[in-house]
Amino acid sequence: MTTTPRLTSLAHGGGCGCKIAPSLLREIMSHVPAGVLPAQLLVGTESSDDAAVYQLNDEQAVVATTDFFTPIVDNPRDFGRIAATNAISDIYAMGGQPLLALALVGMPIDKLPVETISQILEGGASICAEAGIPIAGGHSIDVVEPIYGLVAIGLVHPQRMKKNSSARAGDVLILGKPLGIGVLSAALKKDILSEEGYALMVQYTTQLNRVGTTLGQLDAVHAMTDVTGFGLLGHLLEICRAAGLSAELGFDAVPKIPQALELVQQGISTGASTRNWASYGGEVALEAGMAEWQQKLLTDPQTSGGLLVSCAPDAVDQVLATFRDAGFGQAAVVGRLTEGNPQVNVRSIL
């Protein structure tokens, strides 16, 4: 009798933790010519934003993005759900509304049975149905490691899109989901993750960030991004670089998954966390006395992480209420933006 291998055993990394390190990615992209840049292209690669935006008319712009990765869990349906949630998130992070998706499928056909592959795709389709969009096509190849994700297409009003470069000095930073997904995934690989920890991992990674569409309608919300493979520090730095600002981050205020907090203090973390710090640690000032586990949590690669919102101070209560009304009960103020060179200053308390 042939035993189906664990999905995570077929991949060298998992989820957004298998992203190319941010410093290496910047080096690679520095050699890629910009190409044709029509005036209608409102957002391209210039500021490492979440999606491309192309204006159609005065009222509509297309939001286009793609995201895919290797398994972060062994349950095939959960893998499909997590990957689809993560891919659609970039549409919400721009303040947009998703329209449709295309599936990207790469599977080791000689190692996985048809039933397993079908369950992965079924999981992705279930999340798209929850988001109210169809999977209208896609592409598949036979590869060594299992890969699944989506091309996601959406719409946004050109005056309502939330570019990461639109953040302003004085803005307050609000994070929608707690940190720790990478830590939980590392524990899962080591077979030390509890059932409760796994349930929380799936709960957070399959929670659609569709609150971003609502937040996109608020004038006081100046910028948004979703926190994924580069960790909270990495994606906050992208806002800082794009907007030419500095950030202050309060570690104690950052929401954290309790099980992940316990595990990271025991030394459980991902290789991606180390690569992230090596890529951008020079742009981060940690308060004296902060422990290595705190650094690991702030660089922890989030798969399908929360929205990071930059908003006017007088809109904080409204933004928090919007998050909580949409089911993001752990949304919290985590920092602020100030004038200064692009960097992040981390303190225990703001």
Side-chain angles (χ1 to χ4, degrees):
M1 180 178 178
T2 302
T3 302
T4 302
R6 291 177 58 181
L7 286 176
T8 53
S9 73
L10 298 175
H12 73 287
C16 288
C18 62
K19 275 188 172 183
I20 294 175
S23 59
L24 179 56
L25 181 59
R26 287 200 300 273
E27 181 181 352
I28 292 169
M29 292 304 296
S30 70
H31 300 290
V32 179
V36 177
L37 296 175
Q40 296 94 330
L41 185 63
L42 304 181
V43 180
T45 62
E46 64 282 345
S47 62
S48 301
D49 220 325
D50 294 291
V53 181
Y54 188 94
Q55 186 167 356
L56 298 176
N57 51 53
D58 290 343
E59 302 290 327
Q60 295 175 312
V62 173
V63 186
T65 184
T66 184
D67 215 315
F68 54 89
F69 47 62
T70 53
I72 189 174
V73 294
D74 293 312
N75 181 289
R77 190 173 187 276
D78 285 345
F79 171 39
R81 293 171 65 217
I82 292 167
T85 307
N86 179 74
I88 299 169
S89 181
D90 286 338
I91 301 293
Y92 296 129
M94 301 302 296
Q97 178 68 43
L99 285 179
L100 61 89
L102 307 174
L104 300 173
V105 183
M107 295 291 154
I109 302 302
D110 61 332
K111 296 183 178 69
L112 291 177
V114 169
E115 293 78 6
T116 297
I117 298 172
S118 296
Q119 287 173 30
I120 294 170
L121 271 62
E122 189 276 330
S126 71
I127 288 295
C128 287
E130 187 179 333
I133 63 173
I135 294 182
H139 187 64
S140 62
I141 58 172
D142 185 356
V143 290
V144 176
E145 294 184 312
I147 297 169
Y148 179 70
L150 301 175
V151 173
I153 306 295
L155 282 178
V156 70
H157 192 289
Q159 302 303 316
R160 293 293 182 185
M161 66 173 177
K162 303 302 178 181
K163 300 191 293 183
N164 59 11
S165 61
S166 298
R168 303 177 188 178
D171 276 0
V172 173
L173 297 167
I174 297 174
L175 180 62
K177 291 184 186 180
L179 299 185
I181 295 301
V183 173
L184 297 182
S185 70
L188 179 65
K189 274 225 164 189
K190 295 176 181 290
D191 287 323
I192 59 172
L193 184 62
S194 67
E195 289 186 9
E196 182 183 8
Y198 181 83
L200 285 172
M201 180 181 174
V202 174
Q203 173 189 321
Y204 288 122
T205 54
T206 58
Q207 184 179 21
L208 284 163
N209 278 326
R210 51 186 166 196
V211 65
T213 305
T214 305
L215 292 169
Q217 302 302 307
L218 303 180
D219 290 337
V221 171
H222 300 143
M224 283 194 294
T225 190
D226 60 345
V227 179
T228 56
F230 298 156
L232 176 58
L233 286 178
H235 292 286
L236 177 52
L237 274 168
E238 288 181 337
I239 289 178
C240 290
R241 295 188 197 112
L245 299 172
S246 181
E248 295 180 0
L249 188 69
F251 181 84
D252 291 350
V254 174
K256 310 163 190 75
I257 301 172
Q259 289 78 358
L261 186 59
E262 294 174 8
L263 288 163
V264 75
Q265 289 175 321
Q266 296 167 17
I268 304 300
S269 64
T270 68
S273 176
T274 301
R275 293 193 298 274
N276 282 341
W277 182 254
S279 292
Y280 55 66
E283 299 168 85
V284 179
L286 296 176
E287 183 179 67
M290 296 197 79
E292 184 180 10
W293 67 264
Q294 293 174 294
Q295 172 195 308
K296 292 288 188 183
L297 201 55
L298 293 176
T299 56
D300 187 51
Q302 303 305 288
T303 297
S304 191
L307 293 177
L308 180 62
V309 175
S310 174
C311 69
D314 59 5
V316 167
D317 289 344
Q318 182 182 16
V319 171
L320 285 174
T322 301
F323 266 119
R324 287 166 186 161
D325 288 348
F328 295 85
Q330 294 197 46
V333 172
V334 298
R336 55 179 170 257
L337 295 171
T338 64
E339 298 285 357
N341 294 326
Q343 66 175 32
V344 179
N345 303 295
V346 183
R347 305 172 182 173
S348 295
I349 301 173
L350 281 173

